[in-house]
Short mmCIF file of all heavy atoms in Angstrom, two decimals:
data_model
loop_
_atom_site.label_atom_id
_atom_site.label_comp_id
_atom_site.label_asym_id
_atom_site.label_seq_id
_atom_site.Cartn_x
_atom_site.Cartn_y
_atom_site.Cartn_z
N PHE R 72 93.61 101.87 85.20
CA PHE R 72 94.57 101.17 86.06
C PHE R 72 95.73 102.09 86.43
O PHE R 72 96.28 101.98 87.53
CB PHE R 72 95.09 99.93 85.35
CG PHE R 72 94.06 98.82 85.24
CD1 PHE R 72 94.33 97.67 84.50
CD2 PHE R 72 92.84 98.91 85.87
CE1 PHE R 72 93.40 96.65 84.40
CE2 PHE R 72 91.89 97.90 85.78
CZ PHE R 72 92.18 96.76 85.04
N GLU R 73 96.09 102.99 85.52
CA GLU R 73 97.17 103.94 85.83
C GLU R 73 96.78 104.84 86.99
O GLU R 73 97.60 105.15 87.86
CB GLU R 73 97.49 104.78 84.58
CG GLU R 73 98.16 104.03 83.46
CD GLU R 73 97.19 103.18 82.65
OE1 GLU R 73 95.96 103.33 82.84
OE2 GLU R 73 97.66 102.36 81.84
N ALA R 74 95.51 105.25 87.04
CA ALA R 74 95.05 106.09 88.15
C ALA R 74 95.11 105.32 89.46
O ALA R 74 95.51 105.86 90.50
CB ALA R 74 93.62 106.56 87.88
N ILE R 75 94.74 104.05 89.43
CA ILE R 75 94.80 103.23 90.65
C ILE R 75 96.25 103.13 91.14
O ILE R 75 96.51 103.23 92.34
CB ILE R 75 94.21 101.84 90.38
CG1 ILE R 75 92.69 101.95 90.17
CG2 ILE R 75 94.51 100.88 91.54
CD1 ILE R 75 92.03 100.67 89.77
N GLU R 76 97.19 102.94 90.22
CA GLU R 76 98.60 102.86 90.61
C GLU R 76 99.06 104.14 91.29
O GLU R 76 99.84 104.11 92.25
CB GLU R 76 99.45 102.58 89.37
CG GLU R 76 99.27 101.18 88.81
CD GLU R 76 99.93 101.00 87.46
OE1 GLU R 76 100.57 101.97 86.99
OE2 GLU R 76 99.81 99.90 86.87
N VAL R 77 98.57 105.29 90.82
CA VAL R 77 98.92 106.56 91.45
C VAL R 77 98.40 106.61 92.88
O VAL R 77 99.13 107.00 93.82
CB VAL R 77 98.35 107.74 90.63
CG1 VAL R 77 98.50 109.05 91.41
CG2 VAL R 77 99.06 107.85 89.29
N TYR R 78 97.15 106.19 93.10
CA TYR R 78 96.59 106.22 94.44
C TYR R 78 97.26 105.21 95.36
O TYR R 78 97.45 105.48 96.56
CB TYR R 78 95.08 105.99 94.39
CG TYR R 78 94.33 107.15 93.78
CD1 TYR R 78 93.63 107.02 92.59
CD2 TYR R 78 94.33 108.40 94.40
CE1 TYR R 78 92.95 108.09 92.02
CE2 TYR R 78 93.65 109.48 93.85
CZ TYR R 78 92.97 109.32 92.66
OH TYR R 78 92.31 110.39 92.11
N VAL R 79 97.65 104.06 94.83
CA VAL R 79 98.38 103.09 95.64
C VAL R 79 99.71 103.68 96.08
O VAL R 79 100.12 103.54 97.24
CB VAL R 79 98.59 101.78 94.84
CG1 VAL R 79 99.61 100.88 95.55
CG2 VAL R 79 97.28 101.03 94.66
N HIS R 80 100.39 104.35 95.16
CA HIS R 80 101.68 104.98 95.49
C HIS R 80 101.51 106.02 96.60
O HIS R 80 102.29 106.06 97.56
CB HIS R 80 102.27 105.63 94.25
CG HIS R 80 103.52 106.41 94.50
ND1 HIS R 80 104.73 105.81 94.79
CD2 HIS R 80 103.74 107.76 94.54
CE1 HIS R 80 105.66 106.74 94.98
NE2 HIS R 80 105.08 107.93 94.84
N ARG R 81 100.47 106.85 96.49
CA ARG R 81 100.24 107.88 97.51
C ARG R 81 99.94 107.25 98.87
O ARG R 81 100.41 107.71 99.91
CB ARG R 81 99.08 108.77 97.09
CG ARG R 81 99.37 109.64 95.87
CD ARG R 81 98.14 110.42 95.47
NE ARG R 81 98.38 111.23 94.28
CZ ARG R 81 97.44 111.93 93.65
NH1 ARG R 81 96.19 111.92 94.12
NH2 ARG R 81 97.73 112.63 92.58
N LEU R 82 99.14 106.19 98.84
CA LEU R 82 98.77 105.54 100.10
C LEU R 82 99.97 104.85 100.73
O LEU R 82 100.13 104.87 101.96
CB LEU R 82 97.64 104.53 99.84
CG LEU R 82 96.92 103.95 101.05
CD1 LEU R 82 96.41 105.05 101.96
CD2 LEU R 82 95.77 103.07 100.59
N ARG R 83 100.82 104.25 99.93
CA ARG R 83 102.03 103.62 100.46
C ARG R 83 102.90 104.63 101.20
O ARG R 83 103.47 104.32 102.25
CB ARG R 83 102.82 102.98 99.32
CG ARG R 83 102.31 101.60 98.92
CD ARG R 83 103.12 101.04 97.78
NE ARG R 83 102.82 99.63 97.56
CZ ARG R 83 102.82 99.05 96.39
NH1 ARG R 83 103.13 99.75 95.30
NH2 ARG R 83 102.55 97.76 96.28
N ARG R 84 102.99 105.83 100.66
CA ARG R 84 103.81 106.86 101.31
C ARG R 84 103.25 107.20 102.69
O ARG R 84 104.02 107.45 103.63
CB ARG R 84 103.87 108.11 100.44
CG ARG R 84 104.65 107.90 99.14
CD ARG R 84 104.74 109.16 98.33
NE ARG R 84 105.42 110.23 99.06
CZ ARG R 84 105.58 111.45 98.59
NH1 ARG R 84 105.05 111.79 97.41
NH2 ARG R 84 106.22 112.37 99.29
N LYS R 85 101.94 107.17 102.83
CA LYS R 85 101.33 107.50 104.12
C LYS R 85 101.45 106.36 105.12
O LYS R 85 101.31 106.58 106.32
CB LYS R 85 99.87 107.89 103.91
CG LYS R 85 99.73 109.18 103.12
CD LYS R 85 98.30 109.55 102.84
CE LYS R 85 98.25 110.86 102.03
NZ LYS R 85 96.89 111.27 101.68
N LEU R 86 101.68 105.15 104.63
CA LEU R 86 101.86 104.00 105.52
C LEU R 86 103.33 103.71 105.80
O LEU R 86 103.63 102.82 106.60
CB LEU R 86 101.22 102.76 104.89
CG LEU R 86 99.70 102.79 104.70
CD1 LEU R 86 99.23 101.55 103.94
CD2 LEU R 86 98.97 102.90 106.04
N GLU R 87 104.23 104.44 105.18
CA GLU R 87 105.66 104.21 105.36
C GLU R 87 106.06 104.32 106.84
O GLU R 87 105.61 105.20 107.56
CB GLU R 87 106.48 105.23 104.55
CG GLU R 87 106.64 104.87 103.09
CD GLU R 87 107.49 105.89 102.36
OE1 GLU R 87 107.92 106.88 103.00
OE2 GLU R 87 107.72 105.71 101.15
N GLY R 88 106.91 103.40 107.25
CA GLY R 88 107.40 103.41 108.63
C GLY R 88 106.48 102.73 109.61
O GLY R 88 106.83 102.59 110.79
N SER R 89 105.30 102.29 109.16
CA SER R 89 104.36 101.60 110.05
C SER R 89 104.54 100.09 109.89
O SER R 89 105.38 99.61 109.14
CB SER R 89 102.92 102.00 109.73
OG SER R 89 102.49 101.39 108.51
N ASP R 90 103.72 99.35 110.60
CA ASP R 90 103.79 97.88 110.53
C ASP R 90 102.78 97.32 109.53
O ASP R 90 102.45 96.13 109.57
CB ASP R 90 103.55 97.27 111.91
CG ASP R 90 102.22 97.69 112.53
OD1 ASP R 90 101.55 98.58 111.95
OD2 ASP R 90 101.86 97.14 113.58
N VAL R 91 102.30 98.16 108.62
CA VAL R 91 101.35 97.75 107.58
C VAL R 91 101.88 98.18 106.23
O VAL R 91 102.44 99.28 106.09
CB VAL R 91 99.96 98.38 107.84
CG1 VAL R 91 98.98 98.00 106.74
CG2 VAL R 91 99.42 97.94 109.20
N ARG R 92 101.69 97.35 105.21
CA ARG R 92 102.15 97.69 103.88
C ARG R 92 101.19 97.15 102.82
O ARG R 92 100.40 96.23 103.09
CB ARG R 92 103.56 97.14 103.62
CG ARG R 92 103.62 95.61 103.60
CD ARG R 92 105.02 95.12 103.30
NE ARG R 92 105.05 93.65 103.21
CZ ARG R 92 106.14 92.94 102.88
NH1 ARG R 92 107.26 93.57 102.61
NH2 ARG R 92 106.08 91.63 102.81
N ILE R 93 101.27 97.73 101.64
CA ILE R 93 100.52 97.25 100.48
C ILE R 93 101.48 96.50 99.57
O ILE R 93 102.48 97.06 99.11
CB ILE R 93 99.87 98.41 99.71
CG1 ILE R 93 98.91 99.19 100.61
CG2 ILE R 93 99.13 97.90 98.48
CD1 ILE R 93 98.37 100.46 99.98
N VAL R 94 101.19 95.24 99.34
CA VAL R 94 102.06 94.39 98.52
C VAL R 94 101.44 94.23 97.14
O VAL R 94 100.23 94.03 97.00
CB VAL R 94 102.23 93.00 99.18
CG1 VAL R 94 103.11 92.09 98.31
CG2 VAL R 94 102.84 93.16 100.57
N THR R 95 102.30 94.32 96.11
CA THR R 95 101.85 94.12 94.73
C THR R 95 102.09 92.68 94.31
O THR R 95 103.20 92.15 94.49
CB THR R 95 102.62 95.04 93.77
OG1 THR R 95 102.37 96.41 94.12
CG2 THR R 95 102.15 94.82 92.32
N PHE R 96 101.06 92.04 93.78
CA PHE R 96 101.19 90.72 93.16
C PHE R 96 100.99 90.95 91.66
O PHE R 96 99.87 91.14 91.19
CB PHE R 96 100.16 89.75 93.71
CG PHE R 96 100.41 89.38 95.15
CD1 PHE R 96 99.87 90.14 96.19
CD2 PHE R 96 101.21 88.30 95.47
CE1 PHE R 96 100.12 89.81 97.51
CE2 PHE R 96 101.46 87.96 96.79
CZ PHE R 96 100.91 88.72 97.82
N ARG R 97 102.12 90.95 90.94
CA ARG R 97 102.10 91.35 89.54
C ARG R 97 101.09 90.53 88.73
O ARG R 97 101.11 89.31 88.76
CB ARG R 97 103.50 91.21 88.94
CG ARG R 97 103.65 91.88 87.57
CD ARG R 97 105.11 91.94 87.15
NE ARG R 97 105.90 92.69 88.10
CZ ARG R 97 106.01 94.02 88.12
NH1 ARG R 97 105.30 94.72 87.23
NH2 ARG R 97 106.77 94.63 88.98
N GLY R 98 100.24 91.24 88.02
CA GLY R 98 99.24 90.60 87.19
C GLY R 98 97.99 90.20 87.95
O GLY R 98 97.00 89.79 87.33
N LEU R 99 98.01 90.30 89.28
CA LEU R 99 96.88 89.88 90.09
C LEU R 99 96.22 91.03 90.84
O LEU R 99 95.00 91.11 90.92
CB LEU R 99 97.31 88.79 91.08
CG LEU R 99 97.82 87.49 90.48
CD1 LEU R 99 98.33 86.56 91.59
CD2 LEU R 99 96.73 86.81 89.67
N GLY R 100 97.06 91.90 91.44
CA GLY R 100 96.49 93.01 92.19
C GLY R 100 97.31 93.35 93.42
O GLY R 100 98.54 93.21 93.42
N TYR R 101 96.61 93.75 94.49
CA TYR R 101 97.26 94.23 95.70
C TYR R 101 96.68 93.54 96.92
O TYR R 101 95.54 93.08 96.92
CB TYR R 101 97.09 95.74 95.84
CG TYR R 101 97.59 96.54 94.67
CD1 TYR R 101 96.71 96.97 93.67
CD2 TYR R 101 98.93 96.87 94.56
CE1 TYR R 101 97.17 97.70 92.59
CE2 TYR R 101 99.40 97.62 93.48
CZ TYR R 101 98.51 98.03 92.50
OH TYR R 101 98.97 98.75 91.42
N GLN R 102 97.50 93.51 97.97
CA GLN R 102 97.05 92.94 99.24
C GLN R 102 97.63 93.75 100.38
O GLN R 102 98.79 94.17 100.36
CB GLN R 102 97.50 91.48 99.36
CG GLN R 102 96.95 90.76 100.59
CD GLN R 102 97.20 89.27 100.53
OE1 GLN R 102 97.04 88.65 99.49
NE2 GLN R 102 97.61 88.69 101.64
N LEU R 103 96.79 93.98 101.40
CA LEU R 103 97.23 94.68 102.61
C LEU R 103 97.69 93.65 103.61
O LEU R 103 96.99 92.67 103.88
CB LEU R 103 96.06 95.49 103.18
CG LEU R 103 96.36 96.50 104.28
CD1 LEU R 103 97.23 97.63 103.76
CD2 LEU R 103 95.06 97.06 104.85
N GLU R 104 98.90 93.85 104.17
CA GLU R 104 99.43 92.86 105.12
C GLU R 104 100.36 93.52 106.12
O GLU R 104 100.75 94.68 105.97
CB GLU R 104 100.17 91.75 104.38
CG GLU R 104 101.41 92.20 103.63
CD GLU R 104 102.16 91.06 102.97
OE1 GLU R 104 101.53 90.12 102.46
OE2 GLU R 104 103.41 91.11 102.97
N ARG R 105 100.69 92.77 107.15
CA ARG R 105 101.65 93.24 108.15
C ARG R 105 103.03 93.32 107.52
O ARG R 105 103.45 92.43 106.79
CB ARG R 105 101.70 92.30 109.35
CG ARG R 105 100.46 92.29 110.23
CD ARG R 105 100.34 93.56 111.06
NE ARG R 105 101.40 93.71 112.03
CZ ARG R 105 101.33 93.26 113.29
NH1 ARG R 105 100.24 92.63 113.70
NH2 ARG R 105 102.33 93.44 114.12
N ALA R 106 103.75 94.38 107.81
CA ALA R 106 105.12 94.53 107.33
C ALA R 106 106.05 93.70 108.20
O ALA R 106 105.81 93.53 109.40
CB ALA R 106 105.53 95.99 107.35
N PRO R 107 107.11 93.14 107.62
CA PRO R 107 108.05 92.37 108.43
C PRO R 107 108.75 93.25 109.44
O PRO R 107 109.00 94.44 109.20
CB PRO R 107 109.03 91.82 107.39
CG PRO R 107 108.92 92.74 106.22
CD PRO R 107 107.51 93.21 106.20
N ASP R 108 109.05 92.69 110.58
CA ASP R 108 109.75 93.41 111.64
C ASP R 108 111.22 93.50 111.29
O ASP R 108 111.92 92.50 111.20
CB ASP R 108 109.56 92.68 112.98
CG ASP R 108 110.14 93.47 114.15
OD1 ASP R 108 110.67 94.58 113.91
OD2 ASP R 108 110.06 92.97 115.29
N THR R 109 111.68 94.74 111.07
CA THR R 109 113.08 94.94 110.70
C THR R 109 113.91 95.52 111.84
O THR R 109 115.05 95.95 111.63
CB THR R 109 113.17 95.89 109.49
OG1 THR R 109 112.55 97.14 109.83
CG2 THR R 109 112.47 95.29 108.28
N SER R 110 113.35 95.54 113.05
CA SER R 110 114.10 96.09 114.17
C SER R 110 115.25 95.17 114.53
O SER R 110 115.16 93.94 114.43
CB SER R 110 113.18 96.26 115.39
OG SER R 110 112.61 95.01 115.75
N PRO R 111 116.41 95.72 114.92
CA PRO R 111 117.57 94.88 115.25
C PRO R 111 117.31 93.98 116.45
O PRO R 111 116.59 94.35 117.38
CB PRO R 111 118.66 95.91 115.54
CG PRO R 111 117.92 97.16 115.93
CD PRO R 111 116.66 97.15 115.14
N VAL R 112 117.88 92.80 116.41
CA VAL R 112 117.76 91.86 117.51
C VAL R 112 118.90 92.08 118.49
O VAL R 112 120.08 92.10 118.10
CB VAL R 112 117.79 90.40 117.00
CG1 VAL R 112 117.70 89.44 118.15
CG2 VAL R 112 116.67 90.17 115.98
N ALA R 113 118.52 92.29 119.73
CA ALA R 113 119.54 92.54 120.75
C ALA R 113 120.39 91.29 120.98
O ALA R 113 119.89 90.18 121.01
CB ALA R 113 118.89 92.99 122.05
#
């Protein structure tokens, strides 16, 4: 499981700044989902 956490961390770095993210559900696992839109509202 420690190795999986390392690969998740590496993959998250490659997805940084995009509209996709890997979410951790503690004790359950991971899920790929759309990242919330944080762009300022005019």
